[in-house]
Amino acid sequence: LGQTPEGLQKSVLDSVVEYFQQRHKTKYDDSQVVLGAGAQPLIQTTIEVLAQRAGNKGLKVAVPQPGYGLYPPTVQAAGAELVPIHTDAKDHFLPRPETLYSQLKDGSKKPTDIPHAVLLTEPNNPGGHYYTSKQIKDLAHAIKAREGYVIYDNVFGLTGFAKPMTAPNSVKILKEILGDRLIVIDSVSKSVAAGGVRAGFAATTDPKLAEEIQKRTLAPDPMAMAATSQYLPQSEALAAEHRQVLRQQAEQLSNFFRTRRIPFIKAQGGFSLYADLNAFFSGYRLTLENGQEVELSRENFHELLMSEAGIKIHADTWAGGPEGHYRFVFSIKRLPEAIQRLDQFFSRLKK
């Protein structure tokens, strides 16, 4: 690598600062940036630090559902209380300000029951949709009014492949409204198709908070840091190539769902489509390879898809969304074969 550990760290920090300036038109300095071994560990560490600051009062973290399946256990592992926020398909499963604080477990709206932090991701996962400027501003103002934090996961931010793509500069909007109550989490792994690069970064205008997070965070290894400093300056160009591939893959899987008349959320970005398969859980049967006949249900669908077609998806409970909704990842090399296997599986269903 030809750099000292200190020199390498400085190179990465400079790359991150420049990335925020160029990509998001926002200014951070080295003291406001945290480096970690991936985005997910940084999310957990951030919640741990906020929970420590909350002390005996405890920390409540609101997470829109459906969402990324690792968020709930991450919140709980960090010592915080999970507050699921249920969303609606008509909103592409994006949270509304009016529902963000009205779905507490006991129905109470006392100040002590209000979540102290909200974990947002854009595009949302698994819906694959970006906020409008108005939506993100309304959310930010609602959270600011309740003195909450936003932990903003922007790992998939550069994957927007829809045409036309009109995503707002959410980082800039959130920072202007929330100030030091915004913590941005990001990495190069998803945007430039470098999944093996276990390096992430966080940014906050509160240097003390950044220092506390950094002390608890596992640092990325030198190779990951070197890759980050190399990829970040080229992230927009590399992501543009990646978006073309993602657009084609999303359309291939979308065409399959349309042909089979399976409702799904048309994604604007990300790696997956979210499909509603409830129509197949009312009397459809499948004859297994061993000759046994079974009735399809939401409890056995993902298992049968794996055992009979060799297609791996999570159970519908993984994303915390409506029953019978499943997340299908399209960002795989053998997507045409996977779609063919899906088609053969559905062709075997009889009512």
Side-chain angles (χ1 to χ4, degrees):
L1 297 175
Q3 287 183 291
T4 63
E6 293 77 13
L8 181 57
Q9 181 174 2
K10 176 62 176 172
S11 175
V12 178
L13 289 172
D14 289 347
S15 296
V16 172
V17 169
E18 181 65 15
Y19 166 81
F20 275 104
Q21 180 63 48
Q22 295 299 320
R23 168 66 181 164
H24 300 294
K25 311 303 179 189
T26 57
K27 185 176 180 180
Y28 291 98
D29 60 44
D30 289 5
S31 69
Q32 299 169 326
V33 174
V34 180
L35 304 179
Q40 200 64 32
L42 279 168
I43 292 173
Q44 179 169 335
T45 306
T46 298
I47 297 171
E48 288 175 355
V49 171
L50 294 179
Q52 185 179 45
R53 284 187 169 194
N56 294 333
K57 295 184 297 182
L59 182 77
K60 292 181 173 65
V61 179
V63 178
Q65 303 282 279
Y68 184 50
L70 289 183
Y71 283 159
T74 297
V75 170
Q76 292 163 338
E81 180 183 338
L82 175 69
V83 181
I85 302 298
H86 299 289
T87 58
D88 199 292
K90 70 176 184 293
D91 300 318
H92 304 112
F93 296 111
L94 293 169
R96 291 185 176 195
E98 60 266 30
T99 61
L100 195 58
Y101 294 100
S102 65
Q103 296 183 22
L104 304 178
K105 290 189 301 183
D106 59 0
S108 173
K109 296 182 182 179
K110 296 182 296 183
T112 54
D113 290 324
I114 292 175
H116 308 93
V118 182
L119 179 51
L120 298 177
T121 185
E122 191 174 22
N124 63 335
N125 185 354
H129 266 256
Y130 289 80
Y131 296 94
T132 64
S133 293
K134 183 179 186 308
Q135 286 173 326
I136 202 69
K137 287 177 182 177
D138 288 349
L139 280 171
H141 283 300
I143 295 165
K144 181 182 179 180
R146 293 159 178 82
E147 299 182 347
Y149 286 89
V150 167
I151 303 167
Y152 179 73
D153 183 350
N154 194 47
V155 167
F156 285 94
L158 280 172
T159 65
F161 52 74
K163 285 190 175 183
M165 191 69 237
T166 57
N169 186 345
S170 296
V171 171
K172 188 173 188 292
I173 292 170
L174 290 168
K175 186 169 180 277
E176 289 174 350
I177 296 172
L178 294 166
D180 61 8
R181 289 186 168 269
L182 169 69
I183 304 98
V184 182
I185 311 289
D186 208 336
S187 80
V188 297
S189 62
K190 301 297 190 296
S191 58
V192 304
V197 179
R198 302 310 302 160
F201 50 89
T204 169
T205 55
D206 181 349
K208 180 62 177 175
L209 178 59
E211 182 182 2
E212 292 175 33
I213 296 172
Q214 188 67 79
K215 285 179 180 178
R216 286 175 170 262
T217 299
L218 178 66
D221 64 61
M223 289 297 292
M225 292 178 70
T228 299
S229 65
Q230 178 184 358
Y231 287 142
L232 264 184
Q234 311 174 64
S235 59
E236 182 55 50
L238 292 171
E241 297 178 16
H242 191 204
R243 286 194 292 267
Q244 291 182 7
V245 176
L246 291 174
R247 184 183 305 115
Q248 294 168 359
Q249 292 176 315
E251 188 59 24
Q252 290 176 54
L253 186 56
S254 297
N255 285 337
F256 166 75
F257 286 140
R258 293 188 190 104
T259 300
R260 285 288 174 180
R261 298 184 179 180
I262 297 173
F264 68 98
I265 300 296
K266 185 178 180 181
Q268 297 176 315
F271 287 3
S272 63
L273 298 181
Y274 199 45
D276 178 1
L277 297 176
N278 278 293
F280 294 93
F281 305 142
S282 57
Y284 277 89
R285 304 184 69 81
L286 174 69
T287 301
L288 307 183
E289 295 292 347
N290 62 10
Q292 180 185 359
E293 188 175 79
V294 297
E295 184 168 348
L296 204 65
S297 70
R298 50 177 291 269
E299 289 79 16
N300 66 17
F301 172 72
H302 63 289
E303 297 174 343
L304 290 172
L305 196 59
M306 180 63 195
S307 63
E308 296 296 307
I311 300 295
K312 171 63 178 174
I313 64 170
H314 292 290
D316 64 343
T317 55
W318 186 81
E323 292 184 352
H325 287 64
Y326 295 83
R327 174 179 178 260
F328 289 80
V329 175
F330 53 73
S331 59
I332 58 175
K333 287 185 178 180
R334 297 164 62 186
L335 180 63
E337 179 185 348
I339 292 175
Q340 184 180 36
R341 291 188 183 194
L342 280 172
D343 192 51
Q344 292 171 347
F345 177 88
F346 279 93
S347 294
R348 292 166 54 191
L349 299 180
K350 305 298 179 184
K351 195 162 186 178

